[in-house]
Amino acid sequence: VTDIDSSRMLLRVEQGKGKKDRMAMLSPMLLSTLRQWYKHAKAHHLMLPGGWLFPGQNPLNPIGTRQLSRACQSACLDAGLNKKVSMHTLRHSFATHLLEDKVDIRIIQTLLGHSKLETTALYAQVASKLLREVVSPLDTLAL
């Protein structure tokens, strides 16, 4: 719970991908959902006072990666998705959507916690919508 900074709209991610700590953006919609979950979990005694927002089977520990993976797979089935999806797919989709919305790749690099721009540039390969919108300089010439 203490990793949510609603005044700055940031989430603290500890030991995320690559065992890196980082701050992640917090959307107002996610904040609202997290608040709803907090109220529900507190009312139903699903978390310890001052404990994890998403406790594991042992409430002294956070939910594990295996449980998260299962929840992701369950959500895919519920959504009727036929493709193989993992937690990393969500990260990849986030970056791809930002690229397609023309967010500067250096901002995406920071959001993903990449130290090298080349790593972030790999996401550009799948941003096909953005590639289709690029106009060739040849097409801008007045003939």
Side-chain angles (χ1 to χ4, degrees):
V1 175
T2 57
D3 292 335
I4 300 170
D5 185 345
S6 59
S7 64
R8 297 187 315 159
M9 296 304 286
L10 293 172
L11 288 171
R12 181 173 168 267
V13 178
E14 188 175 317
Q15 298 292 296
K17 179 144 170 64
K19 301 288 183 206
K20 294 181 184 177
D21 296 345
R22 70 178 57 85
M23 296 303 287
M25 60 190 276
L26 173 62
S27 78
M29 185 183 292
L30 178 58
L31 179 59
S32 175
T33 302
L34 291 174
R35 284 181 170 154
Q36 288 174 16
W37 164 250
Y38 178 80
K39 288 175 186 173
H40 172 83
K42 197 171 179 182
H44 292 87
H45 308 290
L46 298 174
M47 51 189 265
L48 298 174
W52 297 100
L53 184 58
F54 299 103
Q57 290 177 337
N58 176 348
L60 296 176
N61 297 321
I63 189 171
T65 55
R66 192 166 178 205
Q67 290 171 295
L68 281 172
S69 181
R70 284 186 191 138
C72 184
Q73 295 302 318
S74 177
C76 284
L77 289 173
D78 291 347
L81 299 177
N82 297 326
K83 294 183 178 185
K84 184 180 179 205
V85 176
S86 68
M87 294 301 294
H88 186 74
T89 306
L90 299 176
R91 177 180 166 85
H92 204 2
S93 298
F94 174 76
T96 302
H97 284 292
L98 290 176
L99 273 169
E100 290 181 346
D101 288 341
K102 299 178 178 72
V103 173
D104 187 282
I105 196 163
R106 291 173 299 246
I107 292 172
I108 298 170
Q109 175 188 4
T110 301
L111 289 170
L112 295 178
H114 292 158
S115 51
K116 295 180 183 175
L117 186 60
E118 293 81 23
T119 306
T120 311
L122 295 173
Y123 290 95
Q125 294 175 4
V126 294
S128 56
K129 176 183 169 191
L130 186 61
L131 293 174
R132 285 192 305 269
E133 292 177 3
V134 174
V135 177
S136 167
L138 181 62
D139 294 333
T140 63
L141 294 175
L143 298 177

